[in-house]
Amino acid sequence: MKQPVRIAVTGAAGNISYSLLFKIAAGEMLGPDQPVILQLVEIPQAMDKLRGVAMELEDCAFPLVHGISLHDNPFDGFRGIHYAMLVGARPRSKGMERADLLEANAVIFAEQGKALNEVANRDVKALVVGNPANTNCLILSRNAPNLAPSQFCAMTRLDHNRALGILGNKLGVNPSDIDGVCVWGNHSPTMYPDLHHAQVLGDEAAIDMIDEKWYKDEYTPRIQKRGAEIIEWRGLSSAASAAQAALDHMHDWALGSDGRVVSMGIISDGSYGVAKGIYYSFPVLCEFGSYQIIQNLHINDYGQAMMKKTEQELLEEKAAVDHLLPK
Ligand code: NAX
């Protein structure tokens, strides 16, 4: 039997975590032979609710769960962790401007970055789910100078999975028969779902199988605004699909993507002319616990314009929190 790994989940009493925790505990993230210790982190006001969630986890008697601990601060909750699933964030309240939202979350993720820097395992992998995910991730990483920027990711896997699912439905194929779909940029309505490099059933170009007008005028805005569409129909924001995406992201990052292209919000190294130092979603392959950006994809003029727009938004977000970034 392998040694247990420690996984911290913040926002552990919230909606997404109510799916996520049970999937991790069942071995869906790191495999059926990997025991886990769950370190659940919440704000002090949500600790009672968290106790209820922990009781339910206990009541499942998951064989892989070797321990559960509850914490009301990240300095305790992140001690010795190998994986951080950072789901908790400050939601936008009535009358709150975007700049206020960015700032409120900057405070949270700055503290969590410091905590990771101080108490996490030196090989920790941290995934930011809480919005605005890309900029929260930037703040997190900049506050953890002893860890590498490549140890942090912002989640765009839900957008990627949505792009695959909706395309599969349109073409009448299983999503697993499609490879090479990717989402560029910010996890926001400016993201660019790119089908130009996607293959169906190994050899057919997806872009040749769809109508350009449908792709640009229906498909793209639908992926970009899918979160709002879910809220409109369900009355609640995406939870199970977000949990599945977080699980998929961490699974592939840790264990490999098996030769398949996935999208991850990662530190830009300047590839494709994207400004260095922001967390931007790129197409990647994962192997041996790390990711590689897929290089040399041909980006047409439409793609260039879409990629610039979402980059611009991220640079504006960065400028709005710049005064809070450690120099
Ligand atoms: P909920 O409001 O149900 O849960 C959030 C939980 O986080 C609450 O229990 C709250 O007490 C806790 N929390 C707040 N601040 C915290 C802190 N400083 N430390 C620890 N816990 C804290 O939201 P839920 O539906 O679970 O969504 C969580 C986050 O995911 C939101 O920011 C949401 O916008 C974001 N999403 C991101 C997605 C992505 O693709 N990157 C998609 C889904 C989701 O919208």
Side-chain angles (χ1 to χ4, degrees):
M1 194 62 150
K2 290 181 180 171
Q3 285 296 312
V5 294
R6 295 180 177 274
I7 305 173
V9 179
T10 69
N15 286 317
I16 294 175
S17 293
Y18 197 66
S19 285
L20 178 63
L21 290 171
F22 296 84
K23 286 170 171 286
I24 296 173
E28 287 180 42
M29 186 166 92
L30 297 175
D33 60 344
Q34 178 58 68
V36 296
I37 295 172
L38 299 173
Q39 303 186 185
L40 311 183
V41 185
E42 260 295 347
I43 50 174
Q45 306 87 293
M47 290 306 285
D48 285 348
K49 192 173 172 195
L50 184 59
R51 249 168 230 121
V53 175
M55 285 177 200
E56 283 206 73
L57 278 167
E58 188 179 20
D59 293 351
C60 292
F62 286 115
L64 289 175
V65 176
H66 283 215
I68 303 174
S69 57
L70 311 189
H71 308 271
D72 66 3
N73 74 84
F75 286 90
D76 292 337
F78 293 172
R79 194 161 294 282
I81 56 167
H82 304 90
Y83 299 94
M85 319 284 286
L86 306 180
V87 181
R90 174 82 188 273
R92 191 188 289 238
S93 47
K94 212 168 170 215
M96 204 179 196
E97 296 295 330
R98 188 164 174 81
D100 300 333
L101 182 75
L102 282 163
E103 214 160 294
N105 279 293
V107 173
I108 294 174
F109 284 86
E111 190 198 19
Q112 294 186 356
K114 290 186 182 105
L116 286 172
N117 199 50
E118 250 179 61
V119 301
N121 185 287
R122 294 304 82 188
D123 294 328
V124 67
K125 287 179 163 55
L127 172 65
V128 177
V129 176
N131 279 320
N134 299 53
T135 297
N136 288 343
C137 190
L138 172 71
I139 289 160
L140 188 76
S141 127
R142 290 284 291 272
N143 279 280
N146 299 336
L147 300 172
S150 57
Q151 290 176 256
F152 301 87
C153 281
M155 185 170 98
T156 54
R157 183 61 177 263
L158 179 55
D159 312 303
H160 177 98
N161 286 352
R162 286 167 171 165
L164 274 176
I166 293 174
L167 180 65
N169 193 14
K170 172 79 174 170
L171 297 178
V173 300
N174 190 286
S176 65
D177 291 332
I178 308 170
D179 190 25
V181 166
C182 66
V183 171
W184 301 89
N186 200 2
H187 170 67
S188 84
T190 65
M191 76 185 76
Y192 169 39
D194 187 354
L195 299 185
H196 291 89
H197 324 289
Q199 302 283 322
V200 180
L201 289 164
D203 58 354
E204 237 183 310
I207 202 77
D208 295 340
M209 300 169 74
I210 52 174
D211 176 55
E212 190 181 342
K213 194 166 160 41
W214 176 80
Y215 170 49
K216 290 185 178 168
D217 299 346
E218 285 184 46
Y219 177 81
T220 297
R222 193 152 189 221
I223 306 295
Q224 290 171 325
K225 296 185 209 144
R226 183 66 156 184
E229 191 183 357
I230 302 284
I231 293 174
E232 205 180 304
W233 287 91
R234 204 174 89 90
L236 292 167
S237 60
S238 326
S241 55
Q244 183 62 45
L247 199 91
D248 288 345
H249 181 119
M250 211 46 122
H251 170 277
D252 290 354
W253 194 6
L255 303 177
S257 64
D258 209 13
R260 290 177 64 82
V261 176
V262 292
S263 303
M264 288 168 60
I266 54 174
I267 188 79
S268 168
D269 61 356
S271 293
Y272 294 96
V274 174
K276 284 187 186 174
I278 51 174
Y279 280 82
Y280 187 98
S281 182
F282 286 95
V284 301
L285 289 173
C286 300
E287 214 179 6
F288 307 123
S290 63
Y291 60 76
Q292 291 288 331
I293 297 176
I294 297 172
Q295 299 291 346
N296 301 319
L297 296 173
H298 173 70
I299 312 290
N300 64 16
D301 290 348
Y302 170 76
Q304 302 266 7
M306 296 291 279
M307 285 171 63
K308 269 280 160 237
K309 189 172 174 203
T310 189
E311 176 193 8
Q312 193 52 41
E313 184 182 48
L314 280 169
L315 290 170
E316 283 165 20
E317 286 186 14
K318 181 172 180 242
V321 296
D322 199 52
H323 60 291
L324 298 168
L325 290 173
K327 298 297 170 223

